[in-house]
Amino acid sequence: GESVGLHLPTLSVQEGDNSIINCAYSNSASDYFIWYKQESGKGPQFIIDIRSNMDKRQGQRVTVLLNKTVKHLSLQIAATQPGDSAVYFCAERNTGGFKTIFGAGTRLFVKA
Amino acid sequence: GAVVSQHPSRVICKSGTSVKIECRSLDFQATTMFWYRQFPKKSLMLMATSNEGSKATYEQGVEKDKFLINHASLTLSTLTVTSAHPEDSSFYICSAPLRTGEYNEQFFGPGTRLTVL
């Protein structure tokens, strides 16, 4: 079936360092990808998105890279802060639709 | 921005009872809403698509009779876990889409923690 993401890994970084979180997707029909942040006991929070006709998109301190050849997404967080500690999920869907499929997620720990 | 609420935020019930969870879009209308469940340290798994005025669409492996969905209005969808058992204990999250610019953005509720004793 459709699947996005890997088994839940953990990434530990030092405050101020850059973080890179990776995700693989398998549904080549998906043309819209989103990164979400989820803090403990809360719902997912939108971070940044990218369409399949782009390979890079930048936001405030975050950058998403899309490599359609190998079906790979990454989220880069610059100057990581303690408040960035959370679980990050990549997700996919078709731009014309609403159905969002989530990947396995990565837990980010930021050490002060 | 658009806000989605859920009620209750936390519920504890005895095995065999039914529990209703509400999902509301507070400042926009949603003809479609989505229900997810999330086990500890796991990802969100889509359970079903709630459609206003018609039957919900369930994902493969999700029991329709176990998880009853009603989308009674353009701002409210309810998920009822019938005859709940301990294995139904989970974090249930709803979302509602809203077209913002050229995209259909999903807005998520804060989740409902269900514990079945």
Side-chain angles (χ1 to χ4, degrees):
Chain A
E2 299 176 4
S3 68
V4 177
L6 307 170
H7 295 293
L8 181 62
T10 299
L11 175 65
S12 184
V13 300
Q14 198 69 38
E15 181 180 2
D17 288 351
N18 296 333
S19 303
I20 300 176
I21 300 171
N22 296 303
C23 173
Y25 66 95
S26 61
N27 188 355
S28 56
S30 295
D31 56 6
Y32 179 56
F33 304 90
I34 316 104
W35 280 100
Y36 290 96
K37 173 185 180 182
Q38 186 182 29
E39 296 175 291
S40 181
K42 297 183 180 180
Q45 176 187 359
F46 173 91
I47 300 174
I48 192 168
D49 56 8
I50 189 168
R51 298 184 72 171
S52 60
N53 61 354
M54 303 170 68
D55 53 21
K56 181 179 180 179
R57 191 162 190 231
Q58 287 184 294
Q60 186 177 13
R61 281 203 307 121
V62 294
T63 300
V64 55
L65 299 178
L66 173 63
N67 186 331
K68 294 181 291 293
T69 303
V70 295
K71 297 179 185 174
H72 183 268
L73 275 165
S74 69
L75 175 69
Q76 300 177 2
I77 304 174
T80 314
Q81 302 168 0
D84 294 327
S85 293
V87 178
Y88 290 81
F89 294 99
C90 63
E92 62 173 329
R93 66 172 187 255
N94 295 318
T95 51
F98 299 130
K99 186 174 170 180
T100 303
I101 304 299
F102 281 78
T106 295
R107 181 173 294 279
L108 176 66
F109 285 108
V110 181
K111 297 176 287 186
Chain B
V3 178
V4 174
S5 70
Q6 283 184 238
H7 178 79
S9 59
R10 184 181 294 268
V11 57
I12 301 172
C13 69
K14 294 181 179 179
S15 186
T17 61
S18 294
V19 175
K20 180 185 285 187
I21 303 170
E22 294 184 346
C23 177
R24 292 181 186 274
S25 55
L26 296 186
D27 48 3
F28 67 102
Q29 294 181 334
T31 57
T32 302
M33 292 183 177
F34 298 90
W35 286 96
Y36 294 82
R37 68 185 299 182
Q38 184 178 30
F39 292 109
K41 298 184 179 180
K42 297 293 183 182
S43 186
L44 282 76
M45 183 193 79
L46 181 64
M47 299 174 65
T49 303
S50 175
N51 304 300
E52 190 269 336
S54 64
K55 292 182 179 179
T57 306
Y58 290 81
E59 296 299 303
Q60 189 174 6
V62 178
E63 299 176 60
K64 301 179 182 181
D65 296 333
K66 175 74 173 178
F67 300 100
L68 300 179
I69 291 173
N70 186 335
H71 198 140
S73 75
L74 289 172
T75 59
L76 173 64
S77 174
T78 60
L79 169 68
T80 301
V81 183
T82 63
S83 186
H85 291 285
E87 57 266 29
D88 298 323
S89 298
S90 189
F91 194 51
Y92 292 88
I93 302 171
C94 70
S95 72
L98 176 65
R99 192 164 187 86
T100 56
E102 63 179 308
Y103 299 139
N104 293 319
E105 190 170 344
Q106 287 280 1
F107 293 90
F108 288 85
T112 297
R113 174 78 59 194
L114 171 63
T115 303
V116 185
L117 303 176

